[in-house]
Amino acid sequence: MAQACYVKKDFITEAEEKSLLTEVEPHMKRLRYEKSHWDDAIHLYREREQRKWRDENLDVISRIRSESFGANTEHLTYVHILDLHKDGVIKPHIDSIRYCGDVITGVSLLSDAIMRLRHKDQKDELVVDLLMPRRSLYRLGGPGRYDFTHEVLDETESVWQGQKVPRDRRISIICRDLPKLSNRAIQEEEIKLKPIPEEN
């Protein structure tokens, strides 16, 4: 699973992080933190989708995609921006196959965090923690995408190799590929999506 799910430290520079934040922060500040997500997967968050980026930040988005996807991948046009409050958590879940494809990838801004992968059937036997340092890239693919739930731990649980990992507000810039389902399979999926605010 290591080739499909991994973290790459220092994937972006401090200057690139600052540039991304300068572009997304004005939009995020207009949104309030939500206490519950449409599928109850996230607590204390705000999110939006963005299609158009400044050239310097589009270069970073392109680099994320080049690192995490194959050459002929069809990408979702909009990039997902998830702003998690210092006290927020992402609960164990598997992203719906209706809305993204084989890979979920992104970069972490503002804070370190720990992502926990837990097998959907062998919940206590197969557990993997990934340390996601600030400015790192994470990639979930293969078994980690479909056979494991993933979650972002709160500060009380955030421990790496015996050391506490301080948690602060964290913004993720997330890229996904197109779903691979047929129209009929999509209709049979039970999960309903609540629309996310879109801005150009």
Side-chain angles (χ1 to χ4, degrees):
M1 192 168 75
Q3 292 182 339
C5 300
Y6 60 83
V7 173
K8 202 165 190 176
K9 291 179 61 178
D10 298 319
F11 186 77
I12 61 172
T13 65
E14 290 185 29
E16 288 171 331
E17 178 188 45
K18 184 177 180 180
S19 179
L20 287 166
L21 289 170
T22 298
E23 181 163 0
V24 304
E25 282 278 39
H27 303 290
M28 303 312 291
K29 287 179 177 178
R30 294 202 293 262
L31 304 173
R32 63 185 177 89
Y33 283 103
E34 302 285 346
K35 292 185 178 179
S36 61
H37 196 249
W38 64 273
D39 60 359
D40 198 37
I42 318 176
H43 175 69
L44 285 179
Y45 74 99
R46 48 194 182 185
E47 64 183 345
R48 60 184 295 271
E49 306 278 352
Q50 183 163 324
R51 182 170 60 89
K52 295 181 180 178
W53 294 84
R54 297 175 187 168
D55 288 345
E56 63 270 25
N57 293 332
L58 184 59
D59 288 343
V60 175
I61 301 299
S62 297
R63 207 163 78 238
I64 294 169
R65 288 171 169 163
S66 295
E67 166 68 29
S68 299
F69 298 97
N72 298 317
T73 298
E74 293 184 278
H75 300 282
L76 283 174
T77 306
Y78 284 86
V79 174
H80 188 195
I81 305 164
L82 178 62
D83 182 344
L84 192 65
H85 189 278
K86 181 184 188 300
D87 298 321
V89 293
I90 299 178
K91 302 175 186 179
H93 70 287
I94 297 175
D95 287 88
S96 172
I97 55 176
R98 292 183 68 184
Y99 307 115
C100 49
D102 295 334
V103 173
I104 300 166
T105 186
V107 292
S108 301
L109 312 181
L110 295 175
S111 178
D112 299 350
I114 292 179
M115 178 181 287
R116 175 164 292 165
L117 307 180
R118 189 184 296 272
H119 196 275
K120 61 185 180 181
D121 300 319
Q122 299 170 274
K123 292 180 171 59
D124 296 322
E125 292 80 16
L126 290 177
V127 181
V128 178
D129 284 351
L130 299 175
L131 175 64
M132 300 185 295
R134 182 177 180 174
R135 294 186 291 275
S136 65
L137 172 139
Y138 70 89
R139 182 189 193 275
L140 294 180
R145 163 72 179 93
Y146 295 109
D147 298 332
F148 286 73
T149 63
H150 62 274
E151 60 189 293
V152 173
L153 305 181
D154 65 21
E155 189 164 34
T156 62
E157 293 185 283
S158 295
V159 177
W160 180 257
Q161 297 180 348
Q163 300 294 317
K164 289 277 292 181
V165 177
R167 261 277 316 273
D168 210 327
R169 175 187 174 216
R170 174 176 174 263
I171 293 179
S172 307
I173 308 295
I174 304 167
C175 299
R176 297 165 292 184
D177 55 337
L178 286 173
K180 305 298 191 294
L181 293 180
S182 65
N183 289 336
R184 180 174 179 180
I186 290 174
Q187 291 171 359
E188 291 173 352
E189 254 285 311
E190 295 180 350
I191 301 175
K192 304 295 182 184
L193 177 66
K194 178 182 176 182
I196 297 170
E198 296 179 0
E199 294 186 32
N200 292 328

